[in-house]
Amino acid sequence: MPKWELAPVSPRSVALALPDRVVTNAELCETLDTTPEWIEKKTGIRERRFLEPHETVLDLAVEAAEKALAAADVQAREIDVVLVACTTPDWIMPSLGVSLAERMGIDTPRILDLTQHACASAAYGIYTAASLLQEPGLETALVVCAERGSGITDPTDRITRIFFGDAAGAVVLRKTAGGDGLLSYDLGNVYSDAVRMATAWRLDQEVPTSTTETPRTPYIFMDGNVVLREAMTRVPKSLSEALSTAGVTVDEVSGFAVHQANAKLVRQIGRMAGADAERVPVTADTLGNTAAASPLTALWRLAREGRARRGDVVVLGAIGAGFLFGSLVFRLPDDLVAADVAAWTSRGRRERGTGTGPGRARASFARPKVDYGVSERRRPVMQSRASDSDQWLYALTPSQAEGERNEPGERSAMEQHPDVPRTEPSQAEGERTEDIPTRE
């Protein structure tokens, strides 16, 4: 893939919006034929967040977007491009992007919805928004990734129900002076129906020309073995390709924000990339797989922990949707600001209401007085971590606390081969396919 040789673009802020409801493994097991211990052993996930029935994806998307604008000190009227990624919207039509712009008072004709990129949305969305900003006179883009994963999983299916959670993430992108910003990217795809979800008309509809099994439910289907194999093959290679094009080594990367399919897989991808655990944050253990939003939850962690400062190199990688995959390499021209998670978590959604229609009245927010902190380079912003509302992102599992990393002198899979990881995905580092829930 080529270097980014267009006008430099870089993220200025990142924000998250999370539902209040925490769903533990024990609660899931009330409708699943499994145990909390089994779920955590196989996936590393302990809990996730679910929207309440009366809450909407639009609510989450607006909340994340408002916080991202405030953190970047950007007004709604300054937004030139709006890109919203969501595979689980409240409505197929009207557009979620237009609904969000109406809520926030954003007046731009450049609104784009990514609806079928699923877990790969953050990589493709940021790349697309950066491309749209190349039009002369445009300076600022808002990228929002929001999902209601709880709404597309069968409550009785342990293969899918245990993974997904609900969340939204948002990033403000700006054109930058100088050569820093997006350095390179890698995008790719390979067809597979191992992850699929049918539209309403396709349910129970026999199609003679189709090689895919006729869908009987509206819920998502996943073949765990294939998902594992593709993620462990495609993501490390994509990260390697993007870094190589940028002329950056793994050791020079401050942090990797990768798709949080499940906690065990994220740690394994980090090892295959040759990165120590502290540079590959895990949020899936407490949020589950938040699909489009998941790389942004990891990016938020990097920024909050002081690993996305001026001059730092950060890499975002994602895969999904059977299968699209991609990586982006940034050298940051300024500190990436992480908005406070709890700034509007309760007050914002409840004050503006959560009706069923897409075109609710615009929200009016007072910007939160958040001390984002200024500290030494790479030093975590301790003011941020003191907040009880952020502790979900810092709860370490025993394996994380021990520090999962390559032994001294051990070469990563990326270093062993410049193109394809030499270690077979099903055998890498003891993470065999039988460790991932699959259909018997």
Side-chain angles (χ1 to χ4, degrees):
M1 287 291 180
K3 287 185 178 180
W4 182 264
E5 297 182 346
L6 304 177
V9 176
S10 183
R12 294 289 302 276
S13 67
V14 58
L16 305 180
L18 304 174
D20 295 330
R21 181 186 172 192
V22 177
V23 179
T24 64
N25 291 342
E27 181 176 343
L28 289 186
C29 289
E30 294 174 5
T31 60
L32 296 176
D33 183 19
T34 188
T35 66
E37 296 76 18
W38 183 89
I39 296 174
E40 185 170 354
K41 177 183 177 182
K42 299 298 183 181
T43 69
I45 299 172
R46 301 194 305 277
E47 62 188 37
R48 69 286 294 149
R49 302 292 184 98
F50 280 7
L51 286 163
E52 297 288 0
H54 64 278
E55 295 176 318
T56 70
V57 173
L58 177 58
D59 290 334
L60 277 186
V62 170
E63 184 178 332
E66 290 277 4
K67 290 192 286 188
L69 293 190
D73 195 24
V74 169
Q75 302 294 325
R77 64 176 178 272
E78 298 177 67
I79 299 299
D80 300 305
V81 173
V82 174
L83 189 146
V84 178
C86 180
T87 308
T88 58
D90 309 311
W91 300 82
I92 301 300
M93 294 175 283
S95 155
L96 181 58
V98 172
S99 299
L100 177 139
E102 191 278 335
R103 277 266 191 102
M104 296 178 62
I106 296 173
D107 184 17
T108 177
R110 304 168 194 88
I111 298 177
L112 179 65
D113 288 280
L114 290 186
T115 61
Q116 289 189 293
H117 284 62
C119 301
S121 293
Y124 279 82
I126 292 174
Y127 166 79
T128 302
S131 299
L132 291 172
L133 283 180
Q134 300 307 307
E135 181 180 334
L138 305 188
E139 298 291 332
T140 308
L142 172 65
V143 177
V144 184
C145 299
E147 297 285 11
R148 190 189 198 116
S150 63
I152 61 170
T153 53
D154 185 344
T156 65
D157 181 8
R158 75 171 187 170
I159 306 306
T160 57
R161 188 66 169 176
I162 63 177
F163 287 106
F164 290 93
D166 305 340
V171 173
V172 172
L173 300 176
R174 299 291 297 268
K175 279 184 180 174
T176 61
D180 288 346
L182 181 58
L183 301 180
S184 66
Y185 63 92
D186 176 78
L187 302 175
N189 61 82
V190 57
Y191 171 76
S192 172
D193 64 359
V195 179
R196 58 184 184 267
M197 187 170 65
T199 56
W201 78 265
R202 190 65 169 79
L203 295 178
D204 297 315
Q205 178 62 54
E206 301 292 342
V207 178
T209 57
S210 175
T211 59
T212 301
E213 181 181 347
T214 300
R216 304 300 178 188
T217 77
Y219 300 117
I220 190 171
F221 170 91
M222 292 195 313
D223 184 325
N225 281 330
V226 176
V227 172
L228 174 70
R229 182 179 69 245
E230 293 295 333
M232 293 179 67
T233 301
R234 309 293 175 180
V235 176
K237 180 181 177 183
S238 179
L239 295 173
S240 178
E241 293 281 356
L243 286 172
S244 176
T245 301
V248 175
T249 67
V250 172
D251 289 341
E252 293 175 297
V253 177
S254 180
F256 293 83
V258 301
H259 170 50
Q260 305 284 309
N262 69 68
K264 293 183 67 175
L265 183 56
V266 172
R267 295 179 191 121
Q268 179 57 33
I269 288 174
R271 287 193 291 268
M272 296 180 73
D276 48 282
E278 67 179 4
R279 289 191 289 152
V280 189
V282 174
T283 62
D285 54 349
T286 53
L287 294 183
N289 180 348
T290 54
S294 83
L296 300 187
T297 67
L299 184 63
W300 185 96
R301 271 283 298 272
L302 290 175
R304 204 65 159 181
E305 293 180 348
R307 288 190 168 275
R309 301 293 178 82
R310 181 178 181 180
D312 284 346
V313 175
V314 296
V315 183
L316 184 146
I319 184 171
F323 288 98
L324 294 152
F325 50 88
S327 301
L328 307 172
V329 180
F330 292 93
R331 179 175 286 113
L332 300 176
D334 297 290
D335 292 358
L336 177 61
V337 181
D340 182 38
V341 170
W344 293 308
T345 297
S346 296
R347 183 170 65 92
R349 287 199 297 275
R350 290 170 185 165
E351 282 192 357
R352 66 174 172 260
T354 52
T356 57
R360 304 291 299 172
R362 292 175 185 163
S364 176
F365 295 108
R367 291 188 176 183
K369 295 181 179 179
V370 180
D371 180 9
Y372 296 109
V374 177
S375 57
E376 296 176 3
R377 186 176 178 81
R378 295 187 184 278
R379 182 179 178 184
V381 183
M382 299 309 295
Q383 299 96 313
S384 305
R385 296 193 63 171
S387 171
D388 291 339
S389 64
D390 296 342
Q391 292 307 306
W392 58 272
L393 280 172
Y394 294 99
L396 297 181
T397 63
S399 58
Q400 285 177 289
E402 293 167 3
E404 296 182 341
R405 63 187 69 196
N406 291 336
E407 295 298 324
E410 179 184 356
R411 292 190 304 164
S412 71
M414 288 165 60
E415 295 169 324
Q416 294 172 24
H417 196 291
D419 296 318
V420 181
R422 182 173 298 174
T423 305
E424 290 299 322
S426 61
Q427 299 174 344
E429 305 280 352
E431 297 270 355
R432 294 179 169 80
T433 53
E434 59 263 30
D435 286 338
I436 302 298
T438 59
R439 299 180 187 277
E440 301 297 334

